[in-house]
Amino acid sequence: MVAPTLHTPAAVRRRIKFHGASLGPLLCWSIVFADIGTSIYYVPGILSASGYDKRAAIFVLMTLVAFILLALKYAEVTWRNPEGGGVVTLSSRALHPFAGLVGGLFIIVDYYLTAAISAFSGIAYLAVVMPAVGWGNAVPGTLVALGGLALLNVIGIRESAIVSFVAATAAAAAQLLVVLVVAVHLGPQGVVHSLADVGQGPPPLTPLVIITGFGAAFLAFSGLESVAQIAPAMRTPRRTTAYRTMALVILTMTLTSPLLTLWQTTLVPDPNSPAHVNQLLSLLAGQFSGTALADVVAVTGAVLLIFASNTAIIGGYHVFLALTRMGFLPRVVERRNAARRTPHVAILAAVGPPVLLVYVAGQSPVAAVFLGDLYAFGLLGSFILTNVSLDVVRWRELRVDRALRRRLVFGVGVFTTALTVIGWSVNLVAKPYATVFGGALTLIGLAVGLWTYNKGRRRRPSVFPVPYRPAQAAESIALQFQRQPADVLVILPRDQNAADAVIEEGVSAAEGKRVVFLYRGQSPPGPAELWEVSDPYLKDYVAQDAFMRAEMRSRDHVQHRRYVYVPGSLPRDAIGRVWAEVRPHETVVMQGEQDVLPPVALDRVKHRVRKGVPVLHLVSSHIRATDAAAS
């Protein structure tokens, strides 16, 4: 199979990209809030119409605690995986590449529902100002909107972070203004009275209702995973930017979500009416401030919701592209059209199911409630897998450093994971449609992924190397080789013919031993798109080919083999730092490239010539402590 070209056509370069890590906390907040902040426009109506009525705010407040803990863990996921990818990247490295496939399928199910329900709710809110766009039940308008978003993505138009900032700021300001207006109108006594209304009416707060309500209210915080997807665009240091971003998100959601849920479900007349479910926030604003604020809320909400739908489409097709480059989906998914160089197959795969979902939901009396009932499986499934993967990483580090702070962080993280497991387990039973829908899509995706992987394994096996990242060298390299150090390290040259000779020499030296194949990548690719998984290995087709040939030649002779990828953006001496962490007994390297290694006392040097290529075998009993410390 011919590897895709590494050149960047002019049509691709014209599309909006981010250049380096340039987005600060405010812009990152706007992108995350443009996703998570849309839930307040439809979740109160869905919870109320689902039978929780005035109790909805209680469950949103309960879930807010879990959301805050989740937000802190997602901030850590972000700085630990600066190339983005969220659950796909983290679970692939912490657990297994197949866990990355499952995580990708979970998040795609979530993106499908986000695209569908956000577009539907956006049209419903826009109908407050322009009734004609609703076309009765908003379904026709939603189908047109999704079709238009698909066309825009095929053409190659992208939203920028600045547009996101404007839309998110306007919507957040409108939400906060509604909170202020209602609070002023009610006065302190009225606010207290509205809180008391939560305790009245059905359903009774039995243990079963409490736990099912807690699980259902997770929908109010869908979109949290967005922060991990935009990690490559974050300004450095990413750890600081990530935590500041999540602090802003937590503050905004804490000020708006519980109170607006309370007042939408207790103060708006007949909130369960099919005509009102998707317009409650605008109706609340109109009830206490008049038409002007109602229209502002409707317009800003509609823009943000359509924006969130487009974000879900973009995020969805980028997950498809990442899974394709990992070898789990057929290469046709990555195909780009000749005119605009956009991945039209992946885009259609991201838009097609939401269109079908909206059409089917249109047959229900309350389409938004039907779509909301399908939400839980993918959303909470991705939460759980992300949490478990991060807990595994923390546990590995805890075995090296058992400081009290690390143990406390690990314990709180496990508690957070338990909360998401409870929510998911409850929804598996309480929302059977979500279980059937999400489970069926996940099983279909797994079948396609495993079939594609096994088919490619015979001809062109996919290899998932350990990435070397200097900022997290202890996690990415040292912990990987702590229990099973390498016996033989094979440093692959970039020249294909020379690499074949070095591979054969390495395989002959490593038979019956543990081997690590190391490759330093090509120059980094051009600017990545926002939401793209910018793992340099996924775009380094030369490195993939080198590892593929190493895998095919060694799998019948060497049982214990691993791979390490050094990005091309790092200096050449990064190979030496990896070598000091791996500490091999024997190093196989093409003659002339041994200068990448740090000074070390060698027991002996064996010189071989294979296929006309001079290869060195550098045998050392140990690495001097001073050299290891210097590295």
Side-chain angles (χ1 to χ4, degrees), residues 38-51:
T38 58
S39 302
I40 196 60
Y41 292 97
Y42 53 80
V43 170
I46 290 175
L47 291 177
S48 181
S50 297

Side-chain angles (χ1 to χ4, degrees), residues 11 15 55 140 153 243 288 486 490 539 557 593 619:
R15 287 146 56 192
R55 310 278 194 185
N153 280 280
Y243 282 119
F288 288 92
V490 181
K539 289 186 175 182
H557 306 283
E593 295 195 354
V619 182

Side-chain angles (χ1 to χ4, degrees), residues 234-433:
M234 280 189 174
R235 181 186 302 160
T236 54
R238 283 187 177 85
R239 184 192 296 242
T240 301
T241 302
Y243 282 119
R244 288 178 178 175
T245 298
M246 296 318 296
L248 291 172
V249 172
I250 290 171
L251 177 63
T252 311
M253 296 301 294
T254 301
L255 290 175
T256 58
S257 189
L259 283 175
L260 290 179
T261 300
L262 168 68
W263 291 334
Q264 287 180 71
T265 54
T266 60
L267 300 181
V268 176
D270 196 14
N272 297 337
S273 167
H276 293 170
V277 166
N278 272 79
Q279 299 175 342
L280 289 182
L281 188 56
S282 183
L283 294 175
L284 177 68
Q287 181 177 337
F288 288 92
S289 184
T291 306
L293 183 57
D295 290 347
V296 169
V297 169
V299 172
T300 56
V303 171
L304 196 67
L305 285 159
I306 296 298
F307 196 94
S309 181
N310 191 46
T311 295
I313 292 170
I314 295 173
Y317 81 70
H318 277 308
V319 171
F320 278 125
L321 293 178
L323 293 178
T324 302
R325 291 164 181 166
M326 293 170 68
F328 291 126
L329 294 178
R331 285 290 179 182
V332 67
V333 175
E334 200 178 4
R335 183 172 296 170
R336 296 176 181 267
N337 60 76
R340 302 295 300 177
R341 299 300 301 165
T342 49
H344 57 281
V345 176
I347 292 171
L348 293 177
V351 178
V355 169
L356 183 61
L357 279 172
V358 170
Y359 177 78
V360 173
Q363 315 309 310
S364 169
V366 186
V369 175
F370 176 80
L371 292 172
D373 283 342
L374 299 180
Y375 226 118
F377 187 89
L379 171 66
L380 289 171
S382 65
F383 279 173
I384 289 173
L385 198 51
T386 301
N387 275 271
V388 170
S389 300
L390 183 56
D391 290 341
V392 168
V393 172
R394 287 174 171 178
W395 171 252
R396 290 171 181 167
E397 294 179 343
L398 193 61
R399 291 163 59 189
V400 178
D401 179 6
R402 300 188 61 83
L404 178 61
R405 178 182 173 277
R406 285 189 179 273
R407 284 182 284 174
L408 289 175
V409 169
F410 177 76
V412 173
V414 171
F415 175 70
T416 306
T417 303
L419 292 178
T420 58
V421 170
I422 291 172
W424 197 53
S425 302
V426 168
N427 279 294
L428 288 178
V429 178
K431 295 184 179 294
Y433 290 130

Side-chain angles (χ1 to χ4, degrees), residues 34-35 38 42 107-123 141-147 149-150 153 219 222-223 225 302 304-317 347-358 371 375 437:
D35 195 351
T38 58
Y42 53 80
I107 202 67
I108 283 173
V109 172
D110 179 41
Y111 279 142
Y112 282 161
L113 271 303
T114 298
I117 198 169
S118 295
F120 181 85
S121 300
I123 295 300
T142 305
L143 296 177
V144 171
L146 287 172
L149 292 176
N153 280 280
L219 178 59
S222 170
E225 65 281 353
L304 196 67
L305 285 159
I306 296 298
F307 196 94
S309 181
N310 191 46
T311 295
I313 292 170
I314 295 173
Y317 81 70
I347 292 171
L348 293 177
V351 178
V355 169
L356 183 61
L357 279 172
V358 170
L371 292 172
Y375 226 118
F437 171 74

Side-chain angles (χ1 to χ4, degrees), residues 79 82 239 468-476 570:
W79 63 257
R239 184 192 296 242
Y468 176 69
R469 296 175 293 176
Q472 300 170 46
E475 174 198 329
S476 62
L570 297 179

Side-chain angles (χ1 to χ4, degrees), residues 466 468 473 476-482 484-490 514-518 562-564 574-587 623 628 631:
V466 177
Y468 176 69
S476 62
I477 299 296
L479 290 177
Q480 296 282 343
F481 297 97
Q482 188 178 54
Q484 289 187 332
D487 296 311
V488 178
L489 175 67
V490 181
R514 292 185 291 265
V515 64
V516 172
F517 293 96
L518 184 149
R562 285 170 289 180
Y563 301 85
V564 173
I575 295 177
R577 295 197 291 270
V578 175
W579 182 83
E581 294 285 357
V582 174
R583 304 193 178 196
H585 175 63
E586 182 174 353
T587 303
I623 300 176
S631 300

